[in-house]
Amino acid sequence: MPIATVNPATGETLKTYDALGEEEIERRLATAEATFDTYRTTPYAERKRLLHRAADLLEADAQDIGRTMTVEMGKPVKQARAEAAKCAKAMRWYADHAEELLADEEPAKADVEDSGASRVLVRYRPLGPVLAVMPWNFPLWQVIRFAAPALMAGNVGLLKHASNVPQTALYLEDLFRRAGYPEGCFQTLLVGSGAIEDILRDPRIKAATLTGSEPAGRAVASVAGDEIKKTVLELGGSDPFVVMPSADIEQAARTAVTARVQNNGQSCIAAKRFIVHTDVFDAFAERFTENMRALTVGDPLDEGTDVGPVATEQGRDDLVELVDDAVESGATVLCGGELPDGDGWYYPPTVLADITPEMRIHHEETFGPVATLYRAADLDEAVAIANDSPFGLSSNVWTRDEAETDRFVRDLEAGGVFFNGMTASHPAYPFGGTKRSGYGRELSGHGIREFCNITTVWHGA
């Protein structure tokens, strides 16, 4: 895949970039290693000042970088500006909380005495240069939620971003440079996916984080495993959105639309499978379909647009294949499902019912504005359908029944359970999945400690 900005609303190639050569990659790796040797001892107060400065700059740039993201990957521009604001919020959160999150821990006095020590503490020390392999769907947020905690922990970062968002990738390097970070603290590597293995195998790279597809995660994890390097993987998701009889159906149906089509439906944590109790199925299906049909599809730079194009031509082709396969196998199209004429990689908001396990769409992730509807006879069947997926990123449940709440928390195979609302990430809460959705956690204290050397410090009596 070429490193290029291709406007998904028109299909026009706007700008292309040459991949970095071996000499430049070597220079950047050497710079990262040298910078880490000094940056790792930078006091928290200085790290905090730098990250706050970067957040201020990002906030000031929101209008321009929002437009850049929209042109590169097609998200509605109002959502792009919101993404920039969310990133600034997370940067400030980590700037203000990192020292506390990474403070030395002292075990219980009885355990210290039992070990024959006079004092024991646990210290969190940075690992070194961390390679981040990031996707195009949230081209700022995916990077910042790695970079902010990594930099506050004393690590340095090297970003291999998706090849279709090079301008956003270069902006991120420039952002940290303008904020005053030493050269080498955060570098963008404009390289193709074929260069990742050699970079990851380089002994100067101490760990890696990847957000992306299952095949990409498998490839990076295999190399890192061979080199015995720490990885955090956030992969695909096919999140269930369960609606039980006690739910507020009107609110659930409204929220379901946002949960499905946010970011043009291209979000790992978007609700994708809507599992509705039979007692309220018809009412929910009617309202949900009406709301999906009413969305405005169009130019993502238009402030009134709800849904823009799919980010890549291949992505839209994959979506068409999944929908066509489902329809040919008996799925009912409640709205959408037809490829529009005209330029760009648009696909209409689509709702499919009568889904069966034989259909590809039942097991594969739909990365676009396509929802699947399931009817469940009771709670047990709802849980069974929800768990009948190779993925386990997050989940949404609508119920006012406390006993049902306990059951869903106990039984849903997911990294998060969100009740009476849609899944969203927040810097204070851990984020990640189970099964083929990956492992490890981002955000919160759990996320900042992923790339730390958790060190036991023992003093004899």
Side-chain angles (χ1 to χ4, degrees):
M1 183 178 184
I3 301 174
T5 296
V6 182
N7 188 343
T10 64
E12 179 186 4
T13 299
L14 302 177
K15 199 167 186 179
T16 59
Y17 296 82
D18 293 329
L20 298 180
E22 290 184 7
E23 283 190 15
E24 182 60 16
I25 292 173
E26 166 58 30
R27 186 190 73 81
R28 290 175 180 244
L29 287 171
T31 300
E33 181 182 47
T35 299
F36 172 70
D37 192 47
T38 55
Y39 180 72
R40 66 187 178 86
T41 60
T42 302
Y44 278 111
E46 175 63 4
R47 297 181 204 174
K48 177 178 179 178
R49 184 191 69 80
L50 289 169
L51 194 55
H52 268 290
R53 174 61 178 155
D56 292 343
L57 290 171
L58 176 55
E59 201 165 60
D61 294 342
Q63 189 79 22
D64 290 340
I65 189 57
R67 183 180 177 86
T68 297
M69 286 191 286
T70 294
V71 169
E72 288 203 302
M73 55 70 60
K75 72 171 71 225
V77 69
K78 56 190 176 184
Q79 295 182 25
R81 291 195 300 269
E83 181 175 339
K86 182 175 184 176
C87 289
K89 176 181 177 179
M91 293 160 83
R92 292 182 179 120
W93 189 90
Y94 269 112
D96 293 340
H97 290 86
E99 185 172 9
E100 175 188 357
L101 293 171
L102 297 178
D104 290 348
E105 299 174 4
E106 295 192 16
K109 183 178 180 181
D111 292 327
V112 173
E113 292 175 350
D114 186 62
S115 71
S118 60
R119 186 186 178 207
V120 177
L121 58 87
V122 176
R123 176 162 295 175
Y124 295 95
R125 297 188 291 160
L127 290 178
V130 180
L131 175 65
V133 182
M134 293 288 114
W136 47 260
N137 58 333
F138 290 96
L140 277 185
W141 173 241
Q142 303 282 9
V143 178
I144 292 299
R145 73 187 196 190
F146 143 74
L151 290 169
M152 285 305 300
N155 295 304
V156 301
L158 295 110
L159 168 65
K160 189 288 179 212
H161 217 325
S163 293
N164 61 328
V165 290
Q167 293 185 60
T168 306
L170 291 170
Y171 166 82
L172 283 158
E173 180 179 83
D174 185 60
L175 172 69
F176 289 109
R177 181 184 297 115
R178 286 188 291 135
Y181 279 89
E183 182 187 5
C185 271
F186 186 94
Q187 300 178 83
T188 287
L189 304 178
L190 287 187
V191 296
S193 59
I196 294 174
E197 179 172 349
D198 286 345
I199 295 171
L200 183 52
R201 288 190 184 278
D202 190 289
R204 290 167 290 194
I205 296 295
K206 302 304 181 185
T209 179
L210 177 142
T211 298
S213 68
E214 185 185 335
R218 186 181 294 110
V220 164
S222 295
V223 174
D226 190 47
E227 295 291 335
I228 316 179
K229 293 181 179 181
K230 175 71 179 288
T231 54
V232 170
L233 303 181
E234 193 263 278
L235 308 179
S238 189
D239 290 4
F241 188 106
V242 180
V243 182
M244 298 300 286
S246 64
D248 181 332
I249 301 303
E250 292 286 350
Q251 186 181 359
R254 285 194 304 271
T255 304
V257 173
T258 305
R260 176 60 284 223
V261 303
Q262 61 174 326
N263 208 47
N264 302 338
Q266 299 164 120
S267 170
C268 296
I269 57 168
K272 300 184 176 84
R273 297 176 297 133
F274 296 82
I275 303 161
V276 187
H277 192 284
T278 188
D279 290 352
V280 292
F281 181 90
D282 291 339
F284 176 87
E286 179 181 359
R287 289 165 177 76
F288 178 52
T289 303
E290 287 176 356
N291 294 340
M292 289 282 280
R293 192 182 288 118
L295 293 168
T296 299
V297 180
D299 182 354
L301 289 173
D302 188 325
E303 295 289 342
T305 293
D306 298 312
V307 180
V310 175
T312 66
E313 187 173 17
Q314 183 60 57
R316 188 178 71 167
D317 290 346
D318 293 343
L319 205 60
V320 170
E321 286 184 13
L322 284 176
V323 172
D324 287 351
D325 172 78
V327 172
E328 290 170 6
S329 300
T332 301
V333 180
L334 300 185
C335 72
E338 294 185 3
L339 200 61
D341 296 326
D343 296 330
W345 301 314
Y346 290 91
Y347 196 83
T350 298
V351 180
L352 303 178
D354 303 313
I355 305 299
T356 63
E358 293 73 32
M359 300 172 185
R360 286 178 55 197
I361 205 166
H362 178 74
H363 299 288
E364 298 181 31
E365 181 179 19
T366 50
F367 224 57
V370 176
T372 52
L373 273 175
Y374 295 80
R375 186 188 297 265
D378 52 27
L379 185 149
D380 289 336
E381 186 175 17
V383 170
I385 296 171
N387 288 341
D388 188 22
S389 169
F391 302 108
L393 192 52
S394 190
S395 59
N396 311 258
V397 179
W398 288 73
T399 179
R400 294 193 184 97
D401 186 312
E402 199 168 310
E404 289 181 350
T405 297
D406 291 341
R407 279 287 311 280
F408 281 114
V409 173
R410 187 191 74 182
D411 293 340
L412 284 177
E413 297 169 351
V417 187
F418 285 68
F419 288 98
N420 302 316
M422 58 180 276
T423 297
S425 52
H426 185 282
Y429 309 136
F431 181 88
T434 187
K435 300 197 289 187
R436 292 192 179 182
S437 288
Y439 53 75
R441 289 296 180 266
E442 297 176 288
L443 303 177
S444 75
H446 297 279
I448 197 171
R449 297 182 194 110
E450 286 281 6
F451 295 117
C452 288
N453 175 2
I454 305 173
T455 309
T456 297
V457 181
W458 189 94
H459 297 269

